[in-house]
Amino acid sequence: MDNYKLFKAIVKYRCKNKDDLIRFGFSSDDVDAFVSKGILDLSGDAKLTKQASFTLSGFAKKVFRLGMKDDAIKYLVYAYELDPSNLDSVLNLFYTYLFIDIEKAFYYFDILYHADLSNVKFTLITKNDLNFYLMMFSSFMKLSPEYKEIVSKLTFEDISYANSDRDLAYLSNNIRGLMLVKNYSKSGSKIAELAADKSLTKTFDLSVIKAINFNIGNFNRQIKSEVGELINAGKYEEAYDLVGRLLDEYRLGAYFINVHKLLGIICGKVKVKETHETCANFYDALEKNNFTEARKLSVGGVIFNKLLDEIISNEYDEEELYNDLVDSLVSGNVDDSLRLLNRYLVSISKSDYEDLIAALIKYNTHTGDVKHANVVLAINMLKNNDFRIDLNECYKEFYKRIKARDFKAARLLFEIIKEASMILHEEADLNSLMIMLEDASKYDKYFRELSQKGVMSTFKDLSDEDVNGLLSEAGSRGVRAIVTNNGTVTLVKRSSINQKKREEVSKEFDECIKSGNYSKALSLAETLIMTSGNTLFASLMVKYTNLLNLLGRKEEALEAYDVSLKLVKEQEMDYDFANLLVSINEEEAKEEVSSDRLTISQIMNFDKDYEYLFDAVALKVSDENISVTEAASVLGFDDFNTGMVLLIYAKRYYLEHQEKKGNEFMAKFNGLSGKDSKLSEIYESLRSMKGIYLNRQSVKTSMKLVKA
């Protein structure tokens, strides 16, 4: 019997029963033999038994060696699900996923780490191996507190490697020792050396170490790049904080430990005394704080060189730094000012004030205060150890900026108040300020978007709370807000203009319309809309909608259409909006629809095209007092004709504001079984036009109420 063929049939090709297995190539006797052997269960859907788990794991390994990783995973997962105590399948899932998905590999590693290895059938790994792999994982993965504590307590005895091949054992233990002391550069070289040595046995352990080390290398390159970008941009505080977080989270090597130290020195967080001791190498020079010698050795790369240059250059006269900083502020070079501010405050041991002074500089820049007199004053007070700031004035300015809706300035003032209160140990109700700021700026994003557009901007799917909030905020800002549909608000800009100028614009607008210069007319219409009172606003919006339509700006025309419809309805103006909507959609539809689809005109006028069907049914309903569908049946209508009549009734009831009746006929239409694409297209259009029909101004009630 071919067990492997059975595994393929059940796991890969999902044979469900005996007949499937026979079609797959087994005889009836073969299938019965598998059952009697205890590896196949046919009591429900065909499935392998727990007894087959270990053999299936072995088959999966062969499939993996043939390069079919996806298939191997299917077999291994099936084997594991058959028998979760089969650690052979868990081990191989761990190994297989190392080359595909490191997160899933760790999932199976976690099972192995907590398993009892004393009674397993394989000898590929030991608890020491698992300890070592865990230590490697900690170099690039966020581990649980439990695992972090385990890693922190590991000694060489916990991770040492045993093998009958003494050379292999020596090299493997050399790698493990280097990893233990976080010398990833040398350990990486040793792993490559071990893998390249053809005289040594290639072990399961070496394959695992190579795969995990590959991830360590990738992670180190990624975070080196992120840290390097901050350092190259002169953002030393941000870089210091980032490396600090990384060192807390991951088991990083000497590179990051020393980068963090140098950044700490530059930012004034770490105090050291530079020495001139004799040094064995670059890292020894860093350890002994001989920065001049470390720079001479220059084997640490561009980032180390930049940091060392910064530390060495920081030693020049603080008065020179002060003058450079003031000159930079006056010249308006913000980035350079912030860089010099960092260096100057470090030089006078006042780096705790950096965030506060930086916020002052940014606030002045935002508000157009190019002289930065308050910053120069603050620096002089720091220089004389006599720093003061009036928080009451900051509060007043904060409230003023909130009222003016200048939220960027308000946020900078919040930072100034927060930093000043901490430094001066003064109480500040920061929570109240933040709540006020967040509440006031909740809808700011909508007005920022409006400012980047032309005259109007529409926002959909808003909650009732947001609709009301947006209306209130618009009123505070002097912006028009129109609720067109449920959850939809359109904001329209407002501006002022003197009467004479407005008359000139209005006259030019009329001339452009007459001459057909619609592009210019559109621009003038926007000016008139923004400067109009409520009386003219509605008629101008209708003209604006038509201009957008004429210029082919269909999406904007539809947006303006909804606003115009709402305004005209409120002012009880007479305008045929149904035809305007057809016009807006017509041109696009001609390009988009294929020859076998209906045009917009056909969809909008379907009731007129099929009036003869409606008349015949209406007469039958009236004569015999029966429902519309019964009348259609008596007349011998097929599903198409019956459906068309139901849709005509629905449309005409909607036009006469008989919404409930219209809905009844739409529901009856939905119950038809033979609806074709043409009917479905008309139905969808009618559904979307329902709101417009129900809101039309001129309504003549002539439709009799009949049953669908």
Side-chain angles (χ1 to χ4, degrees):
M1 290 189 297
D2 189 345
N3 287 352
Y4 291 170
K5 183 178 178 181
L6 176 66
F7 296 159
K8 284 185 190 177
I10 298 294
V11 180
K12 184 175 181 180
Y13 295 101
R14 299 181 179 178
C15 291
K16 295 293 184 184
N17 49 47
K18 188 172 183 177
D19 290 340
D20 285 350
L21 290 168
I22 291 171
R23 279 192 290 272
F24 195 76
F26 294 105
S27 68
S28 179
D29 290 342
D30 288 338
V31 176
D32 292 340
F34 285 131
V35 175
S36 62
K37 193 177 176 183
I39 63 173
L40 178 65
D41 180 5
L42 291 176
S43 59
D45 283 348
K47 54 183 176 291
L48 301 176
T49 66
K50 183 176 179 179
Q51 184 179 319
S53 175
F54 198 78
T55 312
L56 181 57
S57 294
F59 174 61
K61 284 185 270 187
K62 291 185 178 182
V63 172
F64 179 78
R65 284 195 289 272
L66 291 171
M68 295 181 285
K69 293 178 183 177
D70 291 342
D71 287 347
I73 287 172
K74 286 180 185 176
Y75 295 127
L76 288 168
V77 170
Y78 196 102
Y80 173 63
E81 290 173 349
L82 283 177
D83 182 10
S85 66
N86 176 6
L87 293 182
D88 186 67
S89 61
V90 179
L91 176 65
N92 282 287
L93 279 166
F94 161 63
Y95 179 74
T96 304
Y97 271 122
L98 277 175
F99 304 92
I100 301 170
D101 186 333
I102 198 67
E103 296 288 341
K104 285 187 178 178
F106 190 81
Y107 171 81
Y108 290 104
F109 169 85
D110 181 59
I111 296 171
L112 285 171
Y113 196 86
H114 289 94
D116 181 5
L117 302 182
S118 59
N119 296 315
V120 296
K121 297 179 181 179
F122 55 84
T123 56
L124 288 173
I125 59 168
T126 65
K127 191 66 176 182
N128 273 25
D129 295 328
L130 292 174
N131 282 334
F132 180 56
Y133 303 156
L134 178 64
M135 191 175 74
M136 292 185 75
F137 276 124
S138 72
S139 300
F140 69 96
M141 288 184 75
K142 290 185 178 181
L143 300 183
S144 67
E146 174 204 357
Y147 276 141
K148 276 187 172 182
E149 185 176 0
I150 291 171
V151 170
S152 70
K153 295 178 180 178
L154 289 175
T155 64
F156 183 75
E157 286 71 25
D158 298 319
I159 63 170
S160 60
Y161 180 73
N163 195 286
S164 56
D165 185 330
R166 289 187 176 181
D167 290 338
L168 177 63
Y170 172 78
L171 285 171
S172 295
N173 278 316
N174 192 0
I175 290 168
R176 295 185 180 211
L178 289 168
M179 284 277 186
L180 184 65
V181 297
K182 304 179 183 179
N183 193 333
Y184 298 119
S185 177
K186 282 189 179 179
S187 63
S189 300
K190 291 293 181 182
I191 291 169
E193 181 184 324
L194 185 58
D197 192 335
K198 296 180 180 179
S199 67
L200 296 172
T201 307
K202 297 301 177 284
T203 62
F204 176 86
D205 176 69
L206 177 59
S207 296
V208 172
I209 290 172
K210 281 176 62 182
I212 301 177
N213 193 62
F214 176 78
N215 284 278
I216 292 174
N218 278 347
F219 180 70
N220 272 269
R221 282 189 289 276
Q222 176 192 331
I223 60 177
K224 273 185 181 180
S225 174
E226 291 175 16
V227 173
E229 284 181 14
L230 291 173
I231 291 172
N232 286 327
K235 298 178 180 180
Y236 299 127
E237 288 274 359
E238 287 183 49
Y240 177 78
D241 291 341
L242 173 59
V243 179
R245 291 194 300 272
L246 291 170
L247 288 169
D248 287 341
E249 195 66 55
Y250 306 101
R251 198 173 181 277
L252 301 180
Y255 177 89
F256 290 101
I257 293 169
N258 282 290
V259 164
H260 193 241
K261 172 185 172 179
L262 296 181
L263 284 167
I265 294 168
I266 292 170
C267 297
K269 311 286 186 182
V270 176
K271 302 295 182 184
V272 297
K273 186 174 182 180
E274 187 173 0
T275 72
H276 298 284
E277 294 181 35
T278 304
C279 307
N281 54 45
F282 174 75
Y283 282 103
D284 186 43
L286 291 179
E287 179 68 26
K288 293 175 178 176
N289 299 325
N290 188 341
F291 304 124
T292 304
E293 185 65 19
R295 184 64 181 88
K296 287 178 183 176
L297 293 169
S298 191
V299 296
V302 174
I303 294 302
F304 272 120
N305 291 344
K306 182 176 177 62
L307 295 177
L308 289 167
D309 287 343
E310 190 76 25
I311 289 170
I312 294 166
S313 66
N314 272 343
E315 296 172 1
Y316 75 84
D317 183 69
E318 70 181 48
E319 193 61 35
E320 188 178 346
L321 266 175
Y322 171 82
N323 291 331
D324 286 349
L325 173 57
V326 173
D327 289 345
S328 181
L329 283 169
V330 173
S331 67
N333 190 333
V334 177
D335 289 338
D336 194 45
S337 298
L338 293 173
R339 181 181 62 80
L340 288 166
L341 174 69
N342 170 272
R343 291 173 61 183
Y344 178 70
L345 293 179
V346 169
S347 73
I348 63 172
S349 300
K350 300 288 185 182
S351 58
D352 288 347
Y353 290 80
E354 183 176 356
D355 289 341
L356 170 59
I357 307 302
L360 273 173
I361 292 172
K362 292 173 184 177
Y363 177 78
N364 290 343
T365 303
H366 173 71
T367 57
D369 181 357
V370 295
K371 293 183 178 179
H372 294 283
N374 54 0
V375 175
V376 176
L377 176 61
I379 291 170
N380 282 323
M381 286 192 291
L382 286 173
K383 188 177 178 183
N384 298 318
N385 292 312
D386 185 30
F387 181 80
R388 300 181 308 279
I389 186 168
D390 189 341
L391 286 181
N392 287 327
E393 287 300 317
C394 293
Y395 287 132
K396 289 178 185 177
E397 190 66 18
F398 175 83
Y399 300 139
K400 177 182 171 183
R401 294 294 171 177
I402 289 284
K403 188 175 181 181
R405 293 307 191 251
D406 186 353
F407 297 118
K408 184 174 181 180
R411 288 187 189 282
L412 288 168
L413 283 162
F414 176 84
E415 289 301 315
I416 291 168
I417 294 168
K418 181 183 75 173
E419 293 297 328
S421 65
M422 287 191 294
I423 289 169
L424 299 174
H425 304 292
E426 290 189 20
E427 189 174 337
D429 191 357
L430 297 174
N431 285 336
S432 296
L433 294 178
M434 180 51 72
I435 290 169
M436 181 187 294
L437 179 56
E438 293 302 325
D439 285 348
S441 62
K442 182 177 180 181
Y443 300 103
D444 190 49
K445 62 182 179 181
Y446 301 106
F447 296 92
R448 284 202 307 272
E449 183 173 325
L450 175 64
S451 69
Q452 294 164 7
K453 291 198 171 184
V455 69
M456 59 192 289
S457 190
T458 297
F459 306 96
K460 299 179 180 179
D461 301 322
L462 301 173
S463 67
D464 290 344
E465 180 186 349
D466 285 341
V467 168
N468 292 329
L470 198 51
L471 292 176
S472 175
E473 184 67 15
S476 299
R477 294 175 184 242
V479 172
R480 276 196 174 97
I482 302 98
V483 181
T484 53
N485 297 301
N486 286 338
T488 302
V489 175
T490 297
L491 299 177
V492 183
K493 291 179 182 176
R494 266 181 167 161
S495 61
S496 58
I497 187 174
N498 64 53
Q499 184 61 30
K500 183 179 179 182
K501 179 64 177 175
R502 197 177 192 291
E503 288 172 0
E504 291 173 0
V505 172
S506 183
K507 183 179 179 182
E508 188 179 359
F509 171 75
D510 291 338
E511 290 171 355
C512 287
I513 294 292
K514 290 175 185 177
S515 64
N517 187 352
Y518 298 134
S519 295
K520 178 66 173 175
L522 184 72
S523 175
L524 295 168
E526 289 181 345
T527 301
L528 293 172
I529 285 169
M530 289 188 288
T531 58
S532 70
N534 293 333
T535 306
L536 294 175
F537 183 46
S539 60
L540 282 167
M541 279 304 304
V542 173
K543 292 175 183 178
Y544 184 64
T545 305
N546 277 291
L547 284 168
L548 289 168
N549 179 39
L550 288 167
L551 291 168
R553 290 162 62 171
K554 302 296 182 177
E555 189 175 338
E556 295 168 83
L558 286 171
E559 180 183 328
Y561 170 87
D562 288 334
V563 177
S564 300
L565 180 66
K566 175 71 180 291
L567 296 171
V568 167
K569 182 180 177 183
E570 287 177 350
Q571 296 194 17
E572 299 182 353
M573 295 169 61
D574 190 17
Y575 193 85
D576 188 354
F577 276 99
N579 285 336
L580 174 57
L581 184 63
V582 171
S583 175
I584 291 172
N585 286 301
E586 184 85 59
E587 188 175 338
E588 276 191 334
K590 285 177 184 175
E591 295 176 3
E592 292 174 1
V593 297
S594 57
S595 59
D596 60 339
R597 290 190 60 191
L598 298 169
T599 65
I600 292 293
S601 180
Q602 287 174 316
I603 292 172
M604 297 299 296
N605 298 306
F606 76 93
D607 55 327
K608 295 176 184 175
D609 294 338
Y610 291 92
E611 185 112 36
Y612 64 95
L613 295 177
F614 175 82
D615 290 342
V617 170
L619 186 61
K620 182 63 70 175
V621 168
S622 176
D623 288 346
E624 301 185 18
N625 194 27
I626 56 178
S627 71
V628 169
T629 46
E630 287 172 337
S633 177
V634 171
L635 292 168
F637 281 9
D638 58 14
D639 283 339
F640 177 85
N641 287 343
T642 302
M644 188 62 73
V645 171
L646 289 170
L647 292 175
I648 293 172
Y649 267 97
K651 176 180 177 179
R652 293 187 176 180
Y653 278 129
Y654 286 146
L655 284 167
E656 298 197 356
H657 290 195
Q658 298 286 348
E659 183 177 4
K660 189 174 180 181
K661 262 301 172 189
N663 291 344
E664 178 189 331
F665 278 81
M666 293 287 272
K668 195 71 175 178
F669 173 83
N670 273 329
L672 294 179
S673 57
K675 300 186 288 289
D676 66 2
S677 59
K678 189 174 183 180
L679 282 173
S680 297
E681 205 173 344
I682 292 172
Y683 169 77
E684 290 300 328
S685 171
L686 182 54
R687 230 164 44 101
S688 65
M689 290 290 291
K690 172 183 169 181
I692 294 172
Y693 292 149
L694 290 171
N695 285 298
R696 289 188 69 167
Q697 292 300 307
S698 54
V699 179
K700 296 178 182 179
T701 306
S702 59
M703 287 281 290
K704 291 182 179 180
L705 301 182
V706 297
K707 294 180 180 178

